[in-house]
Amino acid sequence: MPAFVVAAVVGALFFLGYRYYSTYLAAKVYALDGAYRTPAHEFNDGVDFVPTNKHVLFGHHFTSVAGAAPIVGPAIAVFWGWGPALTWIVLGTIFAAGVHDFGSLAVSVRHKAKSIGTLAGDVINGRARMLFLAIIFFLLTLVNAVFAVVIGNLFVAQPGAVIPIVAEIPLAIAIGVYIYRTRSSALIPSIVGVIVLYALILVGNAYPITLDGLADALGVEQTRNVWVVLLFVYTWVASRIPVWVLLQPRDYINSHQLFIALGVIGLGLIIGLNQIQAPVVNDVPEGSPSFFPFLFITIACGAISGFHSLVASGTTSKQLDKETDARYVGYMGAVGEGSLATGAVLAATAGVAASQAEWEALYPDFATASGGAVGNFVAGTAQFANNIGIPLELAGVFAAVVVISFAATTMDTGVRLQRYVIQEIGELVKVRALARNLTVATTLAVVIPLAMALIPGEGEAGYTFGVLWQLFGTTNQLTAGLALSVIAVWVTRRGRNPVAVLVPLAFLLVMTTWALILNLRNFVEDEQWVLAPLDAIIFVLALWLMVEAGLALRAAFRDRGTVAPTEGGEPDAVALANPETGTSDRPLGGPSGNDRR
Amino acid sequence: MNPRVVLVRGTRTAGGASAGCCGGDVRPFDEGGSHRHGPPDDAVGAVYRALRAALPAEVAVEVVSPSNWLWLVPELVRGGRRRGLRGAALRRSVRSGMAVESLIVDGAVLGSGRLPAPAAAVAAVEAELLLQEGAGSPPGRAGEPQVG
């Protein structure tokens, strides 16, 4: 089947989802009110809280949620065939991610734009804050570990990408310092930066850099691991320098690259008329993980990602001009991410191979499929770039540079965020060195994912990456589960029908716990004594989340009988009775606040 | 069409973007304890508050990241063309409006690279709005920032 036909059908389904389902959510589930005074107006300070044009805000939100993660998961998941992968992306985006991203924004806006971590504490009790911290800690640890492995693998597979990627660091610093000193527009310098970066692809291609010699000298079996260590040394330094020096100018360069990559994929698809070579449903070898439940944790970002609730409730909700804008910003953000994931599926099924036999050679078993997934995406994107006239060899380096740029920026930010989480935990457990000492917090933020990334696997395209990725997907889904629990409690307390939220919540919790149990059994059988305890800890967190969500929902249903449904525009009885609660329309702990204690 | 004032954020508060899933512009906690990681206040916040207090509600005041060129460039081009700018003058106007800490009123770049003090910014914006209302013609030299 021509890939562009599939892309058009998916686009049409996303359009229908936005047009009809998000309208239903806005009217019947979240009961949005155009006249509601949002926190951006209530606490308007021109810094964090600023009423912002919805198109401007969408730009901020989308670039904050769209990155490398929706590429990796789908590129692995096509192992089960493009049918299951694409079905989950489409249904997940429309019925789970849209509900989750839009709902996180809606509930935060109704509660002084508080972040989902704080809201979880309000819904349940102090334990929920610790639960949230634990889930986020593992999420960030696994993000940093998997992206280090992704970059390491790509440096080994595409040594031509090393020079441009390394040169991007001083290039970004030069742009940052130039903008800071001259206070001029970032547009021209960052476009020049992208041009220089792509020009360096020619240099990188002519002088590929490998660390095989260094790995041999150090006695390291896998060259990838040398790259992984170097990457964590880099992020230790990068995460400690001011954002405007390196991270922000890298972001300027990346924002151009995001649109260039999307343009190349779209244009290449249309011009090349590539056919999908993967089977609709792949007859996977015996002993492979089954697509129930593993597909649903392999594709997290791109179908539903808890990370989006952190963005939606952390910064986006503070800038929402009208409550009704939440539909456009939140739901469309999810659709944008789903579109990226669709592009990844098409690259890994249509661009990467010219025949089904060729494709099957790339996806013979789950270990090879997961280890080679990013490389397959890169090869597929390179083919699309080749369709528009870029020589294949250079196109491969170009695609690798795009993926590595995103993954490296994610690592920069991930280590920085992990430092905040460690400092937060330090405050909670009253360990001053963790809370106050940047060096200690940053070192911990780097050492733990480094250890994860270096877990012995089965070769460069190892088994370990696939399971690490699944554990990352699991923690991401648990974060989404926590956010959906908060949304479900809020919707229930408002007297609205929570089914639209409860269905994805139940589905996610069943899939994640099912996968965790199966993986735990496998890890114990394979004597994976690092992964088994990690899986067990995440399993305990999942159970904890289920118990807390169940208790909070039971309390919400109990209180539900005492309040009338909230309509859009209708003054809320609880808010009127509690003017000091500001923008909160109904305390999340219930009218009595019992379940907060 | 209602008038629109645009403030472009400074280098320290432009915010991270494009790190994407899972590393975008995230603040997991509201309090931040002893390690507050929200953006620090800068000139944009003070000018914004002064403008919002002084201007009537129908005047929109937007705060935009300098990296949001997908929105900023069309806004500046549309505004510049409405004011009769073409060619090099329009390019100069767009470039100066894209700079950090810029002050733009309906496409007219009043400040670029450094914001004036809040009172001066309010005075400049009010004068610009009055001029537009009275003459209906573009004030100042084409494409050149007028204050700051």
Side-chain angles (χ1 to χ4, degrees):
Chain A
M1 185 183 286
F4 82 89
V5 173
V6 175
V9 171
V10 170
L13 291 171
F14 283 163
F15 170 77
L16 293 174
Y18 177 70
R19 177 72 185 79
Y20 295 104
Y21 194 57
S22 75
T23 306
Y24 162 77
L25 292 171
K28 302 291 181 191
V29 182
Y30 302 140
L32 301 187
D33 176 4
Y36 180 77
R37 189 169 163 77
T38 61
H41 289 278
E42 189 80 23
F43 308 114
N44 189 347
D45 61 4
V47 183
D48 276 343
F49 293 87
V50 191
T52 304
N53 177 293
K54 69 177 181 180
H55 301 295
V56 174
L57 190 55
F58 175 75
H60 159 83
H61 184 77
F62 181 60
T63 50
S64 297
V65 298
I71 291 170
V72 184
I76 297 174
V78 293
F79 170 69
W80 290 286
W82 66 268
L86 216 50
T87 304
W88 169 229
I89 288 168
V90 171
L91 294 180
T93 297
I94 294 172
F95 297 107
V99 173
H100 168 271
D101 296 15
F102 178 8
S104 303
L105 195 47
V107 69
S108 175
V109 162
R110 284 278 171 161
H111 296 88
K112 303 180 186 175
K114 286 179 183 173
S115 75
I116 208 76
T118 308
L119 289 174
D122 287 352
V123 169
I124 306 162
N125 48 40
R127 290 194 305 269
R129 189 173 173 77
M130 190 46 105
L131 172 63
F132 174 78
L133 277 172
I135 293 175
I136 294 293
F137 177 84
F138 285 108
L139 174 65
L140 291 171
T141 298
L142 289 160
V143 163
N144 293 326
V146 292
F147 280 109
V149 176
V150 163
I151 298 172
N153 276 340
L154 279 177
F155 274 154
V156 171
Q158 296 280 358
V162 174
I163 287 181
I165 289 296
V166 172
E168 191 181 358
I169 299 166
L171 196 60
I173 292 174
I175 292 171
V177 171
Y178 173 80
I179 296 166
Y180 187 71
R181 290 224 173 122
T182 63
R183 311 185 68 79
S184 57
S185 163
L187 181 60
I188 303 296
S190 57
I191 289 174
V192 171
V194 173
I195 293 169
V196 173
L197 181 68
Y198 290 166
L200 285 169
I201 287 175
L202 296 170
V203 180
N205 199 43
Y207 303 99
I209 305 237
T210 71
L211 295 185
D212 293 343
L214 182 61
D216 285 343
L218 294 171
V220 178
E221 200 181 322
Q222 295 181 28
T223 308
R224 177 191 73 199
N225 288 344
V226 179
W227 283 117
V228 165
V229 172
L230 289 176
L231 281 163
F232 276 108
V233 170
Y234 157 74
T235 50
W236 190 91
V237 177
S239 68
R240 296 192 58 179
I241 59 179
V243 169
W244 63 268
V245 176
L246 175 60
L247 190 57
Q248 221 168 62
R250 277 178 80 113
D251 284 347
Y252 293 154
I253 293 173
N254 281 357
S255 65
H256 296 306
Q257 292 208 80
L258 176 65
F259 293 106
I260 291 169
L262 282 173
V264 165
I265 290 175
L267 213 60
L269 264 179
I270 294 167
I271 292 174
L273 294 174
N274 298 74
Q275 301 282 322
I276 293 183
Q277 304 299 345
V280 178
V281 179
N282 193 19
D283 187 15
V284 298
E286 205 175 326
S288 304
S290 56
F291 81 77
F292 265 104
F294 290 106
L295 168 69
F296 305 95
I297 53 163
T298 302
I299 303 181
C301 307
I304 177 166
S305 163
F307 184 83
H308 293 198
S309 69
L310 305 182
V311 176
S313 65
T315 50
T316 310
S317 63
K318 293 173 176 63
Q319 299 174 49
L320 207 67
D321 184 18
K322 294 189 197 113
E323 195 184 31
T324 42
D325 292 347
R327 174 178 161 242
Y328 173 73
V329 177
Y331 200 93
M332 279 295 275
V335 166
E337 177 109 323
S339 306
L340 257 184
T342 304
V345 166
L346 297 178
T349 55
V352 73
S355 67
Q356 184 163 338
E358 214 176 280
W359 185 87
E360 282 168 353
L362 294 169
Y363 285 86
D365 52 63
F366 186 71
T368 313
S370 56
V374 183
N376 293 337
F377 169 80
V378 164
T381 305
Q383 182 56 53
F384 294 148
N386 184 240
N387 292 346
I388 57 173
I390 301 171
L392 196 57
E393 200 180 353
L394 289 180
V397 182
F398 154 77
V401 164
V402 171
V403 175
I404 296 171
S405 294
F406 275 105
T409 312
T410 300
M411 276 187 76
D412 279 7
T413 321
V415 169
R416 202 178 283 266
L417 285 173
Q418 185 71 306
R419 195 182 76 211
Y420 298 155
V421 170
I422 290 170
Q423 287 179 301
E424 194 80 14
I425 292 171
E427 292 215 339
L428 270 179
V429 298
K430 300 194 180 355
V431 176
R432 197 179 164 81
L434 283 184
R436 300 288 174 93
N437 191 321
L438 272 188
T439 305
V440 172
T442 311
T443 305
L444 262 181
V446 160
V447 165
I448 299 169
L450 172 64
M452 287 293 164
L454 295 180
I455 292 172
E458 292 176 4
E460 296 280 356
Y463 161 78
T464 305
F465 179 73
V467 291
L468 266 186
W469 182 264
Q470 285 179 354
L471 287 174
F472 154 68
T474 307
T475 48
N476 205 352
Q477 306 289 39
L478 285 181
T479 313
L482 193 64
L484 283 170
S485 305
V486 171
I487 299 164
V489 170
W490 174 66
V491 168
T492 307
R493 286 202 194 287
R494 298 183 94 203
R496 319 296 308 182
N497 188 345
V499 169
V501 189
L502 291 177
V503 170
L505 171 62
F507 184 79
L508 278 192
L509 291 179
V510 169
M511 290 303 142
T512 47
T513 45
W514 184 1
L516 282 165
I517 291 168
L518 292 180
N519 264 340
L520 186 57
R521 194 189 60 193
N522 293 338
F523 294 151
V524 171
E525 279 174 6
D526 296 344
E527 298 183 356
Q528 294 269 353
W529 299 122
V530 178
L531 291 173
L534 180 65
D535 187 287
I537 292 169
I538 297 171
F539 179 61
V540 170
L541 293 177
L543 291 182
W544 184 3
L545 171 61
M546 285 161 106
V547 170
E548 301 289 17
L551 288 173
L553 277 167
R554 196 180 64 171
F557 277 108
R558 198 177 52 224
D559 289 340
R560 188 176 150 111
T562 64
V563 291
T566 304
E567 294 297 336
E570 177 190 295
D572 185 273
V574 179
L576 290 174
N578 300 281
E580 74 282 1
T581 59
T583 57
S584 293
D585 67 347
R586 186 156 291 169
L588 275 169
S592 60
N594 277 343
D595 43 347
R596 281 193 215 170
R597 284 197 290 269
Chain B
M1 199 180 77
N2 288 337
R4 173 146 60 196
V5 180
V6 176
L7 289 167
V8 180
R9 283 191 191 273
T11 48
R12 288 178 184 275
T13 53
S18 304
C21 198
C22 295
D25 190 1
V26 163
R27 286 168 235 163
F29 313 102
D30 296 310
E31 300 84 3
S34 58
H35 52 275
R36 174 174 159 72
H37 42 267
D41 199 358
D42 68 358
V44 175
V47 170
Y48 176 87
R49 289 189 292 271
L51 286 171
R52 201 55 285 174
L55 298 174
E58 63 266 22
V59 178
V61 184
E62 307 283 0
V63 179
V64 180
S65 162
S67 67
N68 198 341
W69 23 73
L70 273 186
W71 188 84
L72 261 177
V73 172
E75 168 76 9
L76 285 160
V77 170
R78 260 198 316 270
R81 290 180 72 87
R82 238 186 350 256
R83 296 162 50 78
L85 302 184
R86 297 288 183 275
L90 182 62
R91 276 201 302 278
R92 265 202 311 278
S93 172
V94 172
R95 207 165 52 231
S96 60
M98 298 285 300
V100 292
E101 293 192 17
S102 291
L103 174 61
I104 304 154
V105 179
D106 286 336
V109 183
L110 303 188
S112 174
R114 194 175 298 278
L115 284 169
V122 170
V125 170
E126 284 177 339
E128 174 68 27
L129 291 174
L130 270 177
L131 273 171
Q132 283 185 15
E133 202 177 283
S137 60
R141 281 183 300 141
E144 295 297 328
Q146 290 152 37
V147 294

